[in-house]
Amino acid sequence: MPAIIDAAGRLHVFINERQGQFRERSLPANLATITAIAVADANNDGALDLLAIQADGAVVRISDKNEGQGWNVAEIARVPDAASYPRGRSAPARRRPRQQRSERSLSVPGRTGAAKSHAGASDLARQ
């Protein structure tokens, strides 16, 4: 499922129709401006989900619902000071060696304390 963020911070997701043809799939209208995306099976259902950092710092999971009939969107964490992260870099993301990665704190709704992220969505926002 290819996905891009345009210059205005709008997320666009495309469905592979085969033979080199892609169709854009509509997304929920209530998604805020997106600053970074990643792909992972965030809800452990065996299907890949989109993880997106919104400009307000919310990290949301965007999951397919009913095989293309809709989306499930849920906030799964929050990035503190999201506005301080750089935006719009066109250089490809690259992973730093584990010993050079800095820890970033994410606040997770419904949990006390902070979760630590090494190469998660918060690192993507900094790339």
Side-chain angles (χ1 to χ4, degrees):
M1 164 172 31
I4 60 168
I5 304 168
D6 67 20
R10 289 183 303 262
L11 180 63
H12 300 270
V13 174
F14 298 88
I15 303 301
N16 187 348
E17 298 284 340
R18 310 278 188 255
Q19 298 177 347
Q21 300 297 310
F22 290 84
R23 171 181 55 85
E24 187 167 2
R25 184 169 167 196
S26 63
L27 288 164
N30 61 344
L31 282 178
T33 301
I34 304 293
T35 60
I37 55 175
V39 177
D41 182 13
N43 59 0
N44 259 350
D45 66 354
L48 292 175
D49 308 301
L50 286 172
L51 300 174
I53 299 177
Q54 297 183 153
D56 65 358
V59 179
V60 294
R61 175 186 43 82
I62 306 167
S63 304
D64 181 54
K65 180 169 75 173
N66 300 330
E67 297 185 26
Q69 301 305 308
W71 298 99
N72 285 321
V73 179
E75 182 175 325
I76 60 171
R78 194 158 272 284
V79 176
D81 302 319
S84 68
Y85 287 84
R87 289 188 55 187
R89 294 187 60 184
S90 59
R94 59 189 186 279
R95 289 188 69 156
R96 294 173 294 190
R98 181 171 290 287
Q99 64 272 18
Q100 292 181 1
R101 294 184 200 149
S102 62
E103 289 187 350
R104 299 290 289 191
S105 294
L106 294 176
S107 58
V108 179
R111 292 189 179 174
T112 58
K116 297 293 183 184
S117 171
H118 294 280
S122 64
D123 283 339
L124 289 176
R126 278 197 314 254
Q127 295 293 330

